[in-house]
Amino acid sequence: MDTHQSPSSTDPQPPSAEIDELSSGMAAAEGKLSPEGNVKEDMISSKDYLDPPQTPLFDAGELGKWSLYRAVIAEFTATLLFVYVAVATVIGHKRQTDTQACSGAGVLGIAWAFGGMIAVLVYCTAGISGGHINPAVTFGLLLSRKVSLPRAFLYMAAQCLGAICGAALVRAVHGSHHYALYGGGANELAPGFSKSAGLVAEALGTAVLVYTVFSATDPKRMARDSHIPVLAPLLIGFAVMMVHLATIPVTGTGINPARSLGAAVVYNGEKAWDDQWIFWVGPFLGAAVAMVYHQYVLRNCAAKSFRSKYDIEA
């Protein structure tokens, strides 16, 4: 048995903590380290997620990619299916109720149809287009620099066109007479409510939806909670359902300018057009408020953008 030991194995070794302390002291003496630098380095190393970089406002190269137009087609199709199923539920409920009292889907059933369809379609299209299916959601993501301006414009155009086609399909299935008789599923301010009340209801309802979208797709939560990406479509659908239960008595619940526009175009009622501005201004205002609250209050993006040394982990 070889009993020879090298000098390096017999010499006493200083503890690792002492080595680290000695190295840090030497670096500090040479001006290579500062307390602020150590704090920032510790903060960066402790983060277990990365915020995606902001999307450029204009990206000319994006316009030449098939992935953009595939996403636009997905938004068109999803909004068409959403409006068809949702508005058909409203018309079907009214037809059934006229035939036999309490035989329709009811307010709860209508809310389930809207929320459930959104959950299904977000799940189906999230990997292709992000599953917006709503100009207000697209607007909120544009403000937070998560989508570019050309993509947002194409998404909104596709959503509005899809909503018009979806409402037209409902009219074709139920017939022009019944479609017009039951209001075409168009959003209108209910009697007894002021326009300001309708505007507030639409803004608050959309704020709930967009806040849920930001929270369910937050990269920090998705990195730390593996179940969040799976639950995101369900949570967004539940938000839509709950808002419908609260807002149907006031405005019939828009919270989606494309859905309101599509039904108004096909139904073409005077009151639907008179109240149409409520279903654009309210949702866009609510989306902006939700974006500011989530991104600049909860996620501390304002402090991060100024790179303050007093900033803490968001």
Side-chain angles (χ1 to χ4, degrees), residues 1-296:
M1 180 171 57
D2 186 8
T3 58
H4 176 71
Q5 296 181 338
S6 64
S8 60
S9 63
T10 57
D11 292 341
Q13 298 296 324
S16 58
E18 294 181 6
I19 295 176
D20 294 340
E21 184 179 358
L22 180 61
S23 300
S24 299
M26 293 175 60
E30 295 172 3
K32 296 179 180 179
L33 289 179
S34 65
E36 293 83 357
N38 288 336
V39 171
K40 290 181 179 179
E41 186 174 315
D42 291 342
M43 287 168 55
I44 294 173
S45 62
S46 66
K47 292 181 68 172
D48 55 1
Y49 70 96
L50 292 175
D51 284 317
Q54 288 187 334
T55 301
L57 192 59
F58 294 96
D59 186 1
E62 185 179 35
L63 297 176
K65 296 180 180 179
W66 165 243
S67 59
L68 170 62
Y69 302 102
R70 180 182 60 186
V72 170
I73 293 171
E75 286 293 311
F76 167 83
T77 305
T79 311
L80 183 153
L81 295 175
F82 166 66
V83 171
Y84 169 74
V85 171
V87 174
T89 303
V90 174
I91 302 297
H93 159 70
K94 292 182 176 180
R95 288 190 67 174
Q96 286 180 302
T97 303
D98 272 0
T99 304
Q100 182 179 356
C102 301
S103 61
V107 173
L108 182 59
I110 292 171
W112 267 109
F114 276 85
M117 200 58 187
I118 283 293
V120 169
L121 293 171
V122 169
Y123 175 81
C124 292
T125 59
I128 301 172
S129 65
H132 297 192
I133 323 173
N134 186 336
V137 172
T138 302
F139 180 67
L141 294 174
L142 172 65
L143 293 180
S144 64
R145 300 288 297 278
K146 294 183 182 294
V147 295
S148 65
L149 185 59
R151 180 178 289 267
F153 174 78
L154 291 174
Y155 273 22
M156 291 182 188
Q159 291 157 359
C160 291
L161 183 59
I164 294 171
C165 293
L169 285 176
V170 177
R171 181 173 181 172
V173 170
H174 283 274
S176 299
H177 172 70
H178 287 99
Y179 184 83
L181 179 64
Y182 299 119
N187 290 124
E188 297 177 356
L189 189 64
F193 292 95
S194 65
K195 291 187 181 296
S196 59
L199 183 66
V200 170
E202 286 294 312
L204 289 176
T206 310
V208 171
L209 169 59
V210 176
Y211 174 45
T212 304
V213 170
F214 274 108
S215 298
T217 59
D218 190 329
K220 176 180 178 180
R221 297 189 64 186
M222 293 176 71
R224 297 180 179 180
D225 301 319
S226 59
H227 63 280
I228 292 296
V230 179
L231 291 178
L234 186 61
L235 298 173
I236 294 169
F238 267 122
V240 171
M241 175 187 169
M242 295 303 159
V243 170
H244 272 75
L245 291 176
T247 318
I248 283 177
V250 183
T251 61
T253 308
I255 67 171
N256 185 330
R259 172 261 187 273
S260 300
L261 178 66
V265 168
V266 178
Y267 175 58
N268 199 29
E270 183 178 355
K271 182 167 176 53
W273 283 119
D274 288 343
D275 295 340
Q276 185 65 203
W277 68 272
I278 295 175
F279 303 101
W280 284 84
V281 176
F284 275 27
L285 179 62
V289 170
M291 186 282 295
V292 171
Y293 175 66
H294 184 272
Q295 296 294 98
Y296 292 93

